[in-house]
Amino acid sequence: VVLKLICAASSIAAWQKQMHNRGASQLQGTGQFGPLTAAVVARVQQENGIPASGRIGPLTWAAAWTGRY
């Protein structure tokens, strides 16, 4: 599932809320994929060895629950 630009705002909001709970306090679960979300996506991908794509694909989605942040 690639969330950036093509997925329901509710899915993006769920990922943002999870990352907020993990310490990304700048994310508020708005469902909008803006620069704050992009920065957290980049950090999650970097810290978990996920190739940088700027998108919330399956590995980045899973890292919100099981990966490092």
Side-chain angles (χ1 to χ4, degrees):
V1 176
V2 175
L3 302 179
K4 183 179 179 182
L5 302 177
I6 62 169
C7 195
S10 61
S11 295
I12 295 172
W15 190 87
Q16 291 168 326
K17 288 175 185 175
Q18 176 61 15
M19 290 311 302
H20 178 85
N21 292 339
R22 302 269 319 269
S25 60
Q26 69 272 39
L27 296 184
Q28 300 300 316
T30 64
Q32 298 177 5
F33 197 110
L36 295 176
T37 301
V40 174
V41 166
R43 179 175 168 186
V44 167
Q45 290 175 339
Q46 180 180 23
E47 291 190 8
N48 290 281
I50 300 168
S53 67
R55 298 173 184 259
I56 303 171
L59 297 175
T60 305
W61 178 272
W65 281 264
T66 62
R68 291 187 301 259
Y69 182 77

